[in-house]
């Protein structure tokens, strides 16, 4: 698994690639948490999962933990780029009702900046 983060306009975009599971969930935490500690108040985070090939409950827990951290800071965390398998996992676990989901990074950023793109629904 690899995690890359970059600032895109007012948003922190975190791109996750590979398998996000028990073995690698800690890497997501260790990459994202220090960035959040340096973030301004009310961070806006877009978690791009388009290159995630597999995710288990540990990966879901790592995402939910980052969501809680960002929410406690008064910010927003959204996800984008869900594959059909990840979408099903988000639906079955109820995360689609908690974390906004967008088709792409651009859609997420546009919506977070007050654009017209909305979260995907099913």
């Amino acid at each position: 698994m690899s995690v890359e983060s970059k600032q895109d306009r007012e948003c922190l975009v975190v791109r996750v690639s590979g398998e996000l599971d028990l073995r690698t969930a800690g890497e997501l935490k260790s990459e994202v948490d220090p960035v959040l500690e340096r973030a301004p108040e009310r961070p806006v985070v877009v978690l791009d999962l388009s290159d995630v090939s597999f995710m288990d409950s540990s990966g879901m827990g790592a995402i939910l933990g980052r969501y809680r951290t960002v929410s406690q800071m008064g910010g927003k965390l959204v996800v984008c780029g869900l594959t059909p398998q990840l979408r099903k996992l988000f639906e079955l676990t109820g995360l689609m009702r908690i974390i906004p989901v967008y088709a792409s990074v651009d859609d997420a950023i546009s919506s977070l900046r007050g654009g017209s793109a909305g979260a995907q629904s099913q």
Side-chain angles (χ1 to χ4, degrees), residues 27-70:
E27 292 177 42
L28 178 63
K29 296 174 191 177
S30 65
E31 290 288 330
V32 174
D33 288 357
V35 176
L36 291 176
E37 289 174 11
R38 297 186 306 269
E41 272 188 37
R42 299 185 175 149
V44 177
V45 179
V46 176
L47 194 56
D48 181 0
L49 303 178
S50 58
D51 290 331
V52 172
S53 57
F54 174 81
M55 184 184 308
D56 68 5
S57 60
S58 297
M60 299 296 283
I63 291 171
L64 189 56
R66 306 307 52 81
Y67 174 82
R68 286 185 183 142
T69 298
V70 170

Side-chain angles (χ1 to χ4, degrees), residues 66-85:
R66 306 307 52 81
Y67 174 82
R68 286 185 183 142
T69 298
V70 170
S71 295
Q72 289 171 349
M73 297 172 73
K76 295 179 183 178
L77 181 140
V78 302
V79 298
C80 67
L82 294 183
T83 63
Q85 295 85 0

